[in-house]
Amino acid sequence: MARNRRSGNRTTFFFCTFFAIVALCAFVPVFAPLPSLSSHSPHDLSHSRHKKDTAKKFEIANDMFWKDGQPFQIIGGDLHYFRVLPEYWEDRLLKAKALGLNTIQTYVPWNLHEPKPGKLVFEGIADIVSFLKLCHKLGFLVMLRPGPYVCAEWDLGGFPAWLLAIEPAIRLRSSDPAFLHLVEGWWAILLQKVAPLLYENGGPVIMVQIENEYGSYGNDKAYLHQLVTFARSHLGDDIILYTTDGGTRETLERGTISGDAVFSAVDFTTGDEPWPIFQLQKKFNAPGKSPPLSAEFYTGWLTHWGEKLAETDADFTAAALEKILARNGSAVLYMAHGGTNFGFYNGANTGGNESDYKPDLTSYDYDAPIRETGDVNNAKFKAIQSVIKKYSAKSLPSAPPNKEKAGYGPIDLQKKEFFFDILNRINSIDIVKSENPISMESVGQMFGFLLYVSEYAAKADGSVLSIPKVHDRAQVFLSCSSEDNGGRPIFVGTMERWSNQTLGLPKIKCISNISLYVLVENMGRVNYGPYIFDRKGILSSVYLDGRILHGWKMLSFPFNNLNEVPKTNPVIAYSESIEKSARRKAKENVSKEPSFYAGHFSIDKENDIKDTFISFNGWGKGIAFVNEFNIGRYWPMRGPQCSLYVPAPVLKQGENVVVVLELESPSPKLVIHSVDQPDFTCRLISQTSNEDQVN
């Protein structure tokens, strides 16, 4: 979406060998002539296998969209299958139908489907084929956005993080042959699944987007042309390919493809006068090939941690939409339904430099008309629906009722283990050693946490630690094996990417060397702008009193993600070891050391299984799992999000287990709460409390 609105040796060896082979591969010339939108040249052999429905045709002519020979106005909305549990896809789509939408637009995040090189995932929440078939069953057309870059407030803009481990470094979003070779391989897999679902083949897919708002990033036309070549080779010449760029001359000049081979759509700030922008759009399309289309009509906005929850006025948004629809323009609501950034997949933005880092919330509610929970009883849904009704060719169906919600009450947690106790179970072969720190990606871990360990000689007056480049948040601990506490790590302080400062290390009397532990959290990779090559971990030398500290060990701590369950999994172990007989309200051992906590709550009857929210008011920062499903990050100390959404399909009759990794400040009572309403007021509550104390 637009932002103009407001190494390990083995890894290096593998990739070097791989790209030595890649270098021998020849590419189709990037500026080979491209077929026009109206071209009917024969399809390639792979495409000809799909039987065409000659009665079905979606095309552009006379500055209009045409469906089966009749003028067609796209009234669409973005709804991302990867932000909604599959059990709820139909509910959300039916509500989009009730809103008045005739088209669904969705991104396809490469990293969800190929979390490791060659490991493909198309099941569960990643089952895009089932999602597209469901759209078709419910009568929707589909505009597909396969990237390879998607933005979407999604980790690394949808690119797999393992791309960042390749040496020499590849250039993302460019005509770098090594990068294009990988894109070609990914699209060969994906687009072969999409081809049978094209509209002309009896499916719902009417348009396929090339890249995403590329004009806001680069000007590599060879790259765009090559993507068109890849797409045509798998999808044929009749499918409408399109680009989407911000509605300025500069972004359109950089991000569009001249001629009539690719349709150029626009996006712009809600409230801007649309028709002058649509006139500009015409200059970047062939004559008669420019139906006015706002491919991202913003119904709300995203929110970062530490910000007030973004909200936009319902009537203002609806009035802006009507300005487009009233003159037969087309629009796609971004978002119709936002959903949730489950797991570790939230993205992040930056300001003027890469240190001005702003990670996104777990919730991707977006203030959309269909809320994160699927609720539609809100002013924005009603206002937008009332506008769309005027221009819909059919009467609108009623929406399914909101999903019922329940609060299951307080959940007592037990401390199961200190985070550092896991070190005793880590196999030595899983430890990477290096003279200097290396990135998460080079170690082979893409998400979660990485522990860096080194040591230094004790000084009489303490030391000063400096890490110029840490991505994203580091907690620093010291230990001395000769001390009475058995050498347990002691919390010293936190170093953050956005406010990186030196850290004073306390004076410790230690006969042996002092062990330094730096636990780095990957809080989500940048998904937009010039700093998307966002490796995680310690990315610079570490300085102790101005001198480089050498001799490092890197220890990985992977956790359940949307598409991966690690072999060594503390979440499962803690889930299986809940002490049912003695639900201790343990108030002891509350400390700054990261720790695992586990508890459970029961649901007696199957009919009592409802959506719920886990409230972390009074806790610090961490991640949470319900029945081993990663429901996301919580950070009520920063806000505004206090609670995490738990859809009913995650729950079960009987015992439901919650496992929490709290990084720094557990609630003294060790209690969390299952509640029946979301809460986005943590920062406001904190500010009010502080003001009361001052007064």
Side-chain angles (χ1 to χ4, degrees):
M1 60 173 288
R3 291 295 178 283
N4 57 352
R5 166 176 166 178
R6 306 226 223 220
S7 51
N9 291 334
R10 56 188 175 182
T11 303
T12 303
F13 174 79
F14 168 80
F15 283 116
C16 287
T17 305
F18 176 76
F19 283 106
I21 297 171
V22 171
L24 299 176
C25 298
F27 285 94
V28 178
V30 292
F31 287 107
L34 300 176
S36 71
L37 290 171
S38 58
S39 170
H40 297 282
S41 59
H43 295 176
D44 72 351
L45 292 178
S46 65
H47 187 68
S48 66
R49 289 196 296 267
H50 307 296
K51 187 176 180 180
K52 292 178 64 174
D53 186 339
T54 54
K56 285 185 164 292
K57 194 171 188 180
F58 194 89
E59 57 189 337
I60 294 174
N62 300 323
D63 288 334
M64 292 187 292
F65 293 111
W66 296 79
K67 176 176 173 283
D68 303 333
Q70 298 297 318
F72 186 80
Q73 183 179 33
I74 293 174
I75 305 177
D78 266 81
L79 194 160
H80 301 156
Y81 62 96
F82 47 90
R83 285 185 160 119
V84 181
L85 294 190
E87 295 89 339
Y88 278 178
W89 285 346
E90 184 164 355
D91 174 78
R92 305 312 195 248
L93 287 169
L94 288 173
K95 286 167 178 171
K97 178 73 71 175
L99 183 61
L101 306 187
N102 57 33
T103 304
I104 295 296
Q105 184 170 248
T106 185
Y107 288 120
V108 183
W110 183 1
N111 53 11
L112 179 72
H113 297 283
E114 193 175 8
K116 294 180 181 178
K119 179 185 177 182
L120 299 173
V121 181
F122 286 98
E123 300 85 34
I125 204 167
D127 189 353
I128 183 175
V129 171
S130 292
F131 178 77
L132 295 176
K133 288 181 177 179
L134 181 59
C135 289
H136 188 216
K137 174 186 172 184
L138 298 178
F140 286 105
L141 302 177
V142 172
M143 297 167 63
L144 196 67
R145 312 173 91 179
Y149 164 79
V150 301
C151 186
E153 286 73 63
W154 193 255
D155 187 86
L156 197 56
F159 286 129
W162 49 264
L163 294 178
L164 307 183
I166 296 171
E167 296 292 349
I170 62 174
R171 288 181 291 115
L172 302 177
R173 306 183 75 183
S174 79
S175 55
D176 178 353
F179 171 65
L180 281 176
H181 181 80
L182 292 167
V183 172
E184 182 180 29
W186 159 235
W187 271 16
I189 296 164
L190 173 66
L191 298 185
Q192 284 179 15
K193 294 178 180 293
V194 171
L197 299 171
L198 298 181
Y199 188 74
E200 64 191 51
N201 295 327
V205 179
I206 55 170
M207 297 169 65
V208 175
Q209 183 172 286
I210 297 298
E211 243 274 348
N212 187 63
E213 299 178 326
Y214 186 69
S216 299
Y217 178 81
N219 192 27
D220 188 342
K221 296 292 186 179
Y223 167 51
L224 297 179
H225 277 260
Q226 191 63 64
L227 293 181
V228 172
T229 300
F230 291 162
R232 291 289 182 210
S233 70
H234 295 290
L235 302 179
D237 296 338
D238 291 336
I239 183 69
I240 297 174
L241 302 181
Y242 70 110
T243 57
T244 300
D245 287 287
T248 68
R249 181 174 295 276
E250 180 183 5
T251 53
L252 287 165
E253 285 177 347
R254 289 157 56 96
T256 58
I257 297 172
S258 58
D260 63 352
V262 179
F263 168 60
S264 303
V266 291
D267 57 36
F268 45 86
T269 302
T270 300
D272 285 355
E273 286 298 324
W275 289 96
I277 298 173
F278 291 144
Q279 284 298 116
L280 178 64
Q281 175 195 1
K282 284 182 122 181
K283 298 181 184 299
F284 294 88
N285 283 305
K289 301 289 187 179
S290 192
L293 171 63
S294 172
E296 291 189 7
F297 175 87
Y298 302 115
T299 61
W301 203 246
L302 64 115
T303 305
H304 305 116
W305 289 107
E307 296 176 350
K308 184 179 178 181
L309 187 68
E311 295 179 316
T312 58
D313 182 76
D315 291 335
F316 174 83
T317 303
L321 177 63
E322 184 156 23
K323 286 184 178 181
I324 297 173
L325 301 185
R327 294 174 58 181
N328 203 35
S330 292
V332 181
L333 309 183
Y334 193 101
M335 300 287 298
H337 170 58
T340 308
N341 295 317
F342 293 118
F344 295 115
Y345 276 109
N346 67 276
N349 290 297
T350 56
N353 58 69
E354 64 177 336
S355 295
D356 187 10
Y357 172 78
K358 304 170 184 178
D360 299 324
L361 301 184
T362 298
S363 171
Y364 197 65
D365 179 86
Y366 211 82
D367 196 27
I370 306 171
R371 308 314 298 262
E372 179 181 14
T373 57
D375 289 3
V376 296
N377 294 339
N378 62 77
K380 187 167 289 183
F381 185 94
K382 294 173 183 176
I384 291 176
Q385 183 189 56
S386 67
V387 167
I388 294 177
K389 273 183 181 179
K390 301 177 186 178
Y391 307 99
S392 177
K394 301 177 181 179
S395 60
L396 304 187
S398 58
N402 291 341
K403 293 292 183 181
E404 292 186 53
K405 299 167 189 66
Y408 299 104
I411 305 169
D412 296 314
L413 300 185
Q414 305 165 13
K415 178 182 284 186
K416 305 305 296 183
E417 192 171 31
F418 285 112
F419 184 87
F420 288 110
D421 290 340
I422 300 178
L423 299 179
N424 300 324
R425 302 197 300 273
I426 290 183
N427 194 314
S428 60
I429 63 173
D430 295 325
I431 299 175
V432 177
K433 298 181 179 180
S434 175
E435 270 297 286
N436 295 299
I438 57 179
S439 71
M440 270 190 179
E441 295 81 7
S442 297
V443 171
Q445 180 177 332
M446 306 306 154
F447 298 95
F449 302 82
L450 188 65
L451 182 65
Y452 294 81
V453 183
S454 189
E455 59 181 33
Y456 64 95
K459 287 189 175 184
D461 54 355
S463 297
V464 176
L465 179 70
S466 173
I467 309 178
K469 196 170 184 179
V470 59
H471 288 191
D472 299 304
R473 191 172 187 268
Q475 293 169 271
V476 180
F477 304 83
L478 301 178
S479 75
C480 174
S481 59
S482 62
E483 286 197 338
D484 294 337
N485 69 352
R488 287 212 66 79
I490 300 170
F491 176 72
V492 176
T494 302
M495 307 181 81
E496 297 168 324
R497 173 175 178 172
W498 53 92
S499 59
N500 197 353
Q501 298 177 346
T502 58
L503 183 64
L505 303 182
K507 170 184 170 182
I508 297 179
K509 292 181 180 180
C510 189
I511 299 174
S512 59
N513 281 345
I514 297 173
S515 294
L516 171 67
Y517 299 87
V518 184
L519 180 64
V520 179
E521 179 187 4
N522 167 1
M523 293 182 59
R525 292 181 180 84
V526 173
N527 59 263
Y528 179 85
Y531 305 113
I532 62 168
F533 199 95
D534 188 20
R535 287 174 172 160
K536 297 301 185 181
I538 296 178
L539 307 179
S540 65
S541 295
V542 175
Y543 296 86
L544 194 67
D545 298 323
R547 302 184 66 176
I548 296 177
L549 184 61
H550 294 290
W552 289 89
K553 298 176 183 178
M554 275 63 64
L555 295 81
S556 296
F557 292 93
F559 292 97
N560 300 27
N561 207 356
L562 269 186
N563 51 357
E564 291 185 290
V565 177
K567 294 179 181 178
T568 303
N569 193 341
V571 175
I572 293 177
Y574 302 141
S575 297
E576 294 174 347
S577 66
I578 292 291
E579 299 176 18
K580 302 176 186 177
S581 59
R583 295 171 62 187
R584 296 175 293 142
K585 282 192 173 183
K587 297 183 183 180
E588 69 277 10
N589 297 328
V590 173
S591 70
K592 278 280 193 178
E593 183 177 344
S595 299
F596 291 96
Y597 301 85
H600 68 96
F601 61 96
S602 294
I603 302 177
D604 295 333
K605 300 177 182 178
E606 187 173 356
N607 288 342
D608 292 335
I609 299 174
K610 315 290 184 187
D611 287 0
T612 191
F613 303 85
I614 302 295
S615 172
F616 289 91
N617 262 314
W619 289 71
K621 187 182 195 301
I623 55 176
F625 306 82
V626 175
N627 295 332
E628 299 172 20
F629 180 79
N630 189 333
I631 61 172
R633 311 174 199 266
Y634 66 89
W635 198 5
M637 293 179 68
R638 179 63 61 95
Q641 185 171 2
C642 314
S643 58
L644 295 180
Y645 174 49
V646 184
V650 172
L651 304 177
K652 59 186 179 181
Q653 184 179 358
E655 181 183 280
N656 293 267
V657 178
V658 183
V659 175
V660 172
L661 171 59
E662 168 59 50
L663 295 172
E664 53 186 41
S665 301
S667 170
K669 294 182 179 180
L670 298 187
V671 176
I672 55 178
H673 293 82
S674 167
V675 297
D676 62 1
Q677 293 292 328
D679 185 357
F680 292 92
T681 64
C682 272
R683 184 167 179 257
L684 299 178
I685 291 173
S686 176
Q687 287 177 333
T688 302
S689 299
N690 291 337
E691 289 170 2
D692 289 344
Q693 290 175 3
V694 171
N695 295 334

